[in-house]
């Protein structure tokens, strides 16, 4: 049966995922809060702010009204920025409750909510009542939207506590260039997805400062180690972090010029202020808020995360980047495997 799917969030990743689902035979409705973006999508079938030189199928309809977008759908895919996920989910929950509607929930955003330090599946579970949702799943992995839209080979993971739902979502997205694996480790997949953005900021900063491949490899490897430490403290499977949503996502996000987080770090390394970087980007840089959340979580749980701590102090305390790197490098020696 053809599935009815609402994709909430018409940024680069949301619109590309909508395109994959449409190509695979689902009926897709794309929601955006931006009326001009909705108008452009419906009239020109383009999304020029986020995806250049690409025309979307005219069978994908864009909506500004959230109620219309989620009416009679089987799945709702959240691809909105992390820090607005709760507010959008709250609106969705009110509509579902009023209509006695029952749906599968998916999210493909990568971050941790500020103040609560919750993963996004937890945020969605708090906002959307059990009687209105069949499952909550997360889609994540090394996937730059700019490459996926050109049909570059891409592998991702769908994680869920409901493996039947995971398999159904796998089937929805799978095709000859977009391959999906299933997992039951929601914690590990979400933490890997969120925290790799911190490492991407650091990798961009190293490049901006003139450091080379050795430094990048060191940052990525030790960054993965501290992501794994935090994740396993919550009960994540350590093997998840050597998979697609761990090392795979770090490789893409910390090496690609398409990565907003890498570009933001690069500008910081070249001497731009954080405020100027945010202004220049014009889009959400998930790693900035995630750095603060991860730093606070590490303190709360007693998990050592020196790279995250260093980036936090650069972003929020104005610490000098070069001096911060020197402090990291001159710490007391220790064993690599702890």
């Amino acid at each position: 049966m053809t599935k009815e799917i609402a994709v909430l969030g018409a940024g680069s990743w949301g619109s590309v995922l909508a395109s994959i689902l449409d190509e695979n035979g689902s009926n897709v409705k794309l929601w955006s809060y931006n009326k001009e973006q909705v108008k452009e999508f419906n009239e020109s079938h383009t999304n020029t702010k986020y995806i250049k030189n690409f025309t979307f199928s005219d069978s994908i309809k864009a909506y500004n009204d959230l109620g219309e977008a989620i009416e009679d759908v089987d799945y709702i895919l959240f691809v909105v920025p992390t820090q607005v996920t709760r507010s959008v989910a709250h609106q969705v929950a009110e509509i579902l409750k009023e209509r006695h509607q029952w749906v599968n929930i998916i999210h493909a955003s990568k971050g941790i909510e500020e103040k609560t330090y919750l993963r996004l599946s937890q945020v969605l579970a708090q906002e959307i009542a059990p009687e209105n949702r069949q499952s909550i799943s997360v889609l994540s992995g090394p996937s730059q939207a700019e490459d996926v839209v050109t049909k570059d080979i891409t592998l991702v993971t769908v994680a869920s506590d409901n493996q039947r739902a995971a398999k159904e979502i796998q089937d929805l997205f799978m095709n000859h260039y977009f391959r999906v694996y299933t997992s039951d480790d929601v914690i590990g997949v979400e933490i890997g997805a969120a925290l790799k953005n911190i490492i991407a900021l650091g990798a961009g900063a190293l490049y901006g400062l003139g450091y080379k491949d050795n430094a990048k490899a060191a940052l990525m490897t030790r960054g993965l180690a501290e992501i794994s430490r935090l994740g396993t403290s919550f009960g994540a499977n350590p093997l998840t972090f050597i998979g697609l949503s761990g090392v795979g996502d770090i490789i893409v996000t910390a090496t690609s010029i398409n990565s907003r987080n890498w570009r933001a770090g690069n500008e910081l390394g070249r001497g731009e202020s954080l405020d100027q970087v945010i202004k220049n980007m014009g889009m959400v840089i998930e790693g900035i808020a995630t750095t603060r959340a991860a730093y606070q979580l590490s303190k709360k749980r007693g998990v050592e995360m020196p790279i995250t701590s260093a980036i936090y102090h650069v972003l929020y305390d104005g610490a000098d980047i070069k001096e911060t790197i020197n402090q990291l490098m001159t710490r007391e020696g220790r064993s690599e495997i702890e």
Side-chain angles (χ1 to χ4, degrees):
M1 289 180 60
T2 300
K3 297 297 183 181
E4 305 286 333
I5 304 174
V7 178
L8 310 185
S12 54
W13 194 217
S15 57
V16 169
L17 288 176
S19 182
I20 292 171
L21 290 166
D22 172 80
E23 182 181 346
N24 289 354
S26 295
N27 291 330
V28 182
K29 297 191 283 186
L30 181 64
W31 173 82
S32 171
Y33 72 93
N34 187 317
K35 291 182 179 179
E36 289 302 314
Q37 186 183 26
V38 169
K39 181 180 179 183
E40 178 194 348
F41 204 98
N42 287 333
E43 292 181 357
S44 304
H45 312 298
T46 58
N47 192 11
T48 51
K49 179 179 178 180
Y50 296 99
I51 299 293
K52 308 295 184 186
N53 305 314
F54 184 76
T55 301
F56 291 84
S57 166
D58 60 9
S59 59
I60 304 174
K61 304 300 181 186
Y63 295 81
N64 185 240
D65 184 282
L66 188 57
E68 288 184 53
I70 68 172
E71 186 173 6
D72 296 327
V73 298
D74 305 298
Y75 294 84
I76 298 177
L77 171 59
F78 285 79
V79 205
V80 296
T82 296
Q83 305 311 325
V84 302
T85 296
R86 185 179 293 276
S87 63
V88 175
H90 182 77
Q91 296 173 64
V92 168
E94 291 296 310
I95 297 167
L96 294 177
K97 182 179 179 180
E98 182 179 339
R99 295 175 178 169
H100 304 287
Q101 193 173 344
W102 197 50
V103 298
N104 289 281
I105 303 293
I106 318 166
H107 84 80
S109 301
K110 299 178 178 181
I112 295 173
E113 188 177 50
E114 288 192 277
K115 298 182 180 178
T116 67
Y117 312 133
L118 293 177
R119 293 175 287 106
L120 291 182
S121 64
Q122 295 173 303
V123 172
L124 292 166
Q126 283 187 350
E127 292 297 328
I128 300 173
E131 57 266 28
N132 295 121
R133 53 176 165 85
Q134 181 177 348
S135 62
I136 298 178
S137 306
V138 52
L139 185 75
S140 187
S143 46
Q144 294 291 348
E146 296 83 356
D147 293 335
V148 176
V149 82
T150 66
K151 295 182 169 50
D152 191 27
I153 290 174
T154 303
L155 279 67
V156 298
T157 298
V158 57
S160 180
D161 293 334
N162 183 328
Q163 286 303 287
R164 179 176 178 180
K167 183 64 174 67
E168 290 173 354
I169 295 164
Q170 179 184 51
D171 293 341
L172 287 174
F173 282 98
M174 283 265 287
N175 61 31
H176 69 280
Y177 64 90
F178 197 80
R179 183 170 177 80
V180 184
Y181 290 84
T182 62
S183 170
D184 60 2
D185 186 13
V186 176
I187 296 172
V189 168
E190 287 187 309
I191 287 180
L195 271 60
K196 55 86 182 180
N197 285 327
I198 303 172
I199 307 308
L201 284 170
L206 287 178
Y207 187 86
L209 287 162
Y211 289 97
K212 306 299 182 183
D213 290 341
N214 290 357
K216 177 172 62 180
L219 174 78
M220 292 165 64
T221 305
R222 295 310 301 167
L224 182 63
E226 64 184 53
I227 290 171
S228 180
R229 281 199 296 270
L230 184 64
T232 54
S233 80
F234 283 101
N237 184 339
L239 293 177
T240 297
F241 300 106
I242 59 171
L244 291 168
S245 57
V247 67
D249 218 349
I250 286 178
I251 290 170
V252 164
T253 314
T255 63
S256 172
I257 60 172
N258 288 327
S259 165
R260 295 176 207 169
N261 293 280
W262 186 94
R263 297 202 308 270
N266 183 37
E267 290 187 20
L268 288 169
R270 293 178 181 274
E272 294 280 9
S273 68
L274 179 58
D275 288 342
Q276 189 61 47
V277 169
I278 293 171
K279 182 179 179 181
N280 292 346
M281 198 64 55
M283 293 182 279
V284 174
I285 307 165
E286 291 282 17
I288 293 174
T290 301
T291 298
R292 178 158 51 192
Y295 174 78
Q296 298 294 348
L297 267 178
S298 71
K299 296 299 181 185
K300 185 176 180 180
R301 300 188 68 81
V303 176
E304 187 178 11
M305 300 183 71
I307 295 172
T308 298
S309 179
I311 295 173
Y312 170 85
H313 290 303
V314 168
L315 292 177
Y316 293 103
D317 296 335
D320 180 79
I321 297 180
K322 289 186 176 180
E323 177 56 30
T324 301
I325 292 171
N326 183 62
Q327 290 172 4
L328 278 173
M329 290 298 294
T330 55
R331 291 177 302 135
E332 182 180 355
R334 60 195 313 162
S335 171
E336 181 183 13
I337 307 299
E338 299 171 0

